[in-house]
Amino acid sequence: MKRIGITTTVPQEVLIAAGYKVIDLNNIFVTSNNYMEYIDIAEKDGFPKSMCAWIKGLYGVCIKEGIDEVVGVVEGDCSNTRALVEVLKLKGIKIYPFAYPNSHKLEDVKKSLDDFMDMFNVKKSDVEDVRNRLNKVREFLIEVDNLTVDGYATGFENHLYLVSSSDFNGDYLEFENMLKEKIKKIKDRNKKDYPIRLAYIGVPPMMGDIYDFVESIGAKIVYNEVQREFSFPRFKNNKDIYEQYYDYTYPYDIEFRLQEIKRQIKEREIDGVIHYTQAFCYRGIEDIIVKSKLDVPVINIEGDKLNELDARTKLRLEAFVDMLKDRRGWRR
Amino acid sequence: MEKVRILGIDLGSREVKIVFFENGRIVRKNKISTMRFYRDYCIKDNGLIIDKEKLDIGEFDVGISTGYGRNNINIKDFTPINEVKAHIYGALFQTGLNDFILLDLGGQDVKVVRVEKGVMTDIELNDKCAASCGRYLENMANILEVDLDYMTRFYKEPVHLNSTCAVFSESELIGKIAEGVPIENLCAGVNYSLYKRLSPMLTRFKSNRIVLSGGASLNSALIEYLKNDYNEVIILEDAQFNGAIGCCYYGERMGLK
């Protein structure tokens, strides 16, 4: 089976219909024990020190793992990705561009998807068939998400399974079976409630230990914003692939993203928000908007290359959670 | 309405500050040197008990304590809270603001905190060294043989003191005295050297508004220097009592009885 790398969530239904095994390069990078090696490859080839670790990691994965075809998101993601795909092209990797139109108009999303389908020579009906099949897997992801809110699945499990839906680990059938098994085990557990309920918003973290850490101090992440978006939890409201990729918040404007975030904060009774940003990323600037538009306390955590929480960040999170607990206890 | 009397105690390294709250308002406050507090006002009996009669604080329903050494000393019948939190709550109560940077300069420690929507989101504490604290200023004032209050008035044309170490700074200062530098410039030099040591801690805490607590609020030279970095420098009215006020505020909001 032909492999194709992706730099972020793209309409994988099209790629699967075209007979590809989809590989989210981010997942290979961040789950590797030698993740620093990927960054190292990029820096040796000239990527600046002051540059997002994800971009360098994606580059390193492509080179080291011999990926020869990549879908690059050239609109709706960052300009670093644009430059990344240009360098990949220079290295002889075949690039397929995909755009989430800035206009965020359904007709423009439709055009973008039609171009994408043409590029891979697939029919809309075939894509819809794949979409309908994948939506069955997405149902299980909604279940994992609900189990997290209800106190059964952990924050990390929520993160892991939802983030994996960008490529379903390259095999949606196997992924589906694995999910069924996991859900069974999760349901068998005793329910565990935490005094504080947190939201995690922003790109997925470099440091996966953040989930267990906050649980160790009496708080639980019950909402992973972008990871959940990867799983397309509102697919039932979308009549076709066009609507599905239109009704996706992450690559569009911050206001649209915030509408969904606000809804979830209310529904999930969130006490505080962790806004994760990556060092050198433009989304760090959006923290200004996030903080001014959300009513609940927001703590901004910035990650760079390290894949575990540093002592200072732990201290900050501890203090934040401690004061949120006080607020829960306020009687006057 | 039932009257709730809350006693907040801040066990500082130099002084113990006591504040008495009644129905959410400060009704009394008192300061005792730390040495005297432990020597004359405490009874040791399986822990520490405050001698209420000697202290003449009257009856109270709820006691909250914080401060230097909080982890070592648990006062009987008092709920201990983290000192950073106590200072934040004190500042929330005194300013009515929810978003600010808080700089608390203690006798032996410095805290810089970012407060957003009433919750701490970032923090920096000094460690290992007292060169940026109140005690440093006291030592330097002793060498100059002037009052601390007098010394902290001067900020113009500071003589440059470059040592990072508080002890080396003393000999550097003596050298400047020997050179015949006027007292005003020597005083300003000490104040400026304190500011320079605080600056690296403040770089992560750029903001438009800073609230000063503890000794920082009494240092008019430091206030002048900080005015260059922050549009708004707010000095707490009861800066010395801020930690103890924070204890009371906490007890009040938690509805402790």
Side-chain angles (χ1 to χ4, degrees), chain A residues 17-198:
Chain A
Y20 278 102
K21 178 185 169 81
V22 183
I23 299 166
D24 187 333
L25 303 170
N26 295 282
N27 296 348
I28 298 186
F29 164 57
V30 79
T31 56
S32 165
N33 289 331
N34 295 319
Y35 76 103
M36 283 298 264
E37 198 185 336
Y38 294 126
I39 295 178
D40 209 37
I41 292 169
E43 288 183 351
K44 280 179 182 162
D45 278 4
F47 278 76
K49 275 271 176 203
S50 56
M51 166 63 58
C52 163
W54 287 106
I55 293 290
K56 288 189 273 199
L58 300 187
Y59 176 82
V61 170
C62 281
I63 301 300
K64 183 151 186 275
E65 308 305 330
I67 307 285
D68 42 27
E69 290 183 80
V70 167
V71 177
V73 171
V74 292
E75 203 176 322
D77 206 351
C78 62
S79 46
N80 290 332
T81 310
R82 287 184 74 123
L84 167 70
V85 296
E86 281 165 352
V87 177
L88 290 176
K89 205 191 270 178
L90 179 77
K91 296 284 170 181
I93 292 168
K94 182 153 175 49
I95 300 297
Y96 301 90
F98 179 73
Y100 290 102
N102 280 332
S103 65
H104 195 204
K105 282 186 189 155
L106 186 60
E107 65 207 64
D108 294 339
V109 176
K110 180 176 179 298
K111 184 177 181 313
S112 187
L113 268 156
D114 285 340
D115 290 348
F116 200 53
M117 286 187 255
D118 287 347
M119 218 179 283
F120 289 96
N121 215 8
V122 292
K123 290 200 299 261
K124 163 95 182 336
S125 58
D126 293 339
V127 170
E128 288 298 339
D129 288 345
V130 175
R131 185 176 96 90
N132 289 330
R133 180 63 190 88
L134 290 189
N135 285 351
K136 291 193 166 52
V137 191
R138 299 191 193 283
E139 291 259 20
F140 291 111
L141 291 167
I142 292 175
E143 199 174 349
V144 170
D145 199 25
N146 291 338
L147 284 166
T148 313
V149 180
D150 293 342
Y152 294 95
T154 66
F156 181 72
E157 285 167 336
N158 182 282
H159 155 75
L160 181 68
Y161 301 129
L162 296 187
V163 81
S164 301
S165 60
S166 60
D167 65 356
F168 294 112
N169 290 347
D171 184 341
Y172 63 87
L173 293 171
E174 204 178 295
F175 187 79
E176 185 178 51
N177 287 332
M178 183 268 296
L179 267 187
K180 281 184 195 164
E181 285 297 310
K182 290 283 174 195
I183 287 171
K184 220 182 282 170
K185 280 188 190 155
I186 291 170
K187 279 179 169 171
D188 270 352
R189 278 180 206 158
N190 289 328
K191 182 179 166 153
K192 197 168 175 195
D193 287 324
Y194 289 81
I196 296 300
R197 297 156 75 86
L198 297 174

Side-chain angles (χ1 to χ4, degrees), chain B residues 134-191:
Chain B
R135 192 65 71 85
Y136 166 72
L137 293 177
E138 287 175 13
N139 286 351
M140 296 301 253
N142 274 340
I143 289 169
L144 293 174
E145 294 183 11
V146 293
D147 285 348
L148 192 58
D149 286 350
Y150 176 83
M151 186 182 78
T152 52
R153 275 181 225 162
F154 300 97
Y155 63 93
K156 285 180 184 157
E157 297 172 44
V159 63
H160 287 282
L161 300 171
N162 297 313
S163 300
T164 47
C165 163
V167 178
F168 288 167
S169 281
E170 289 183 15
S171 23
E172 207 182 348
L173 183 66
I174 292 164
K176 297 291 178 190
I177 297 169
E179 282 173 27
V181 176
I183 187 73
E184 294 82 359
N185 307 92
L186 292 170
C187 291
V190 172
N191 295 323

Side-chain angles (χ1 to χ4, degrees), chain A residues 300-311:
Chain A
N300 178 217
I301 299 290
E302 192 184 72
D304 188 6
K305 289 180 185 173
L306 211 60
N307 72 348
E308 50 191 36
L309 288 173
D310 60 284

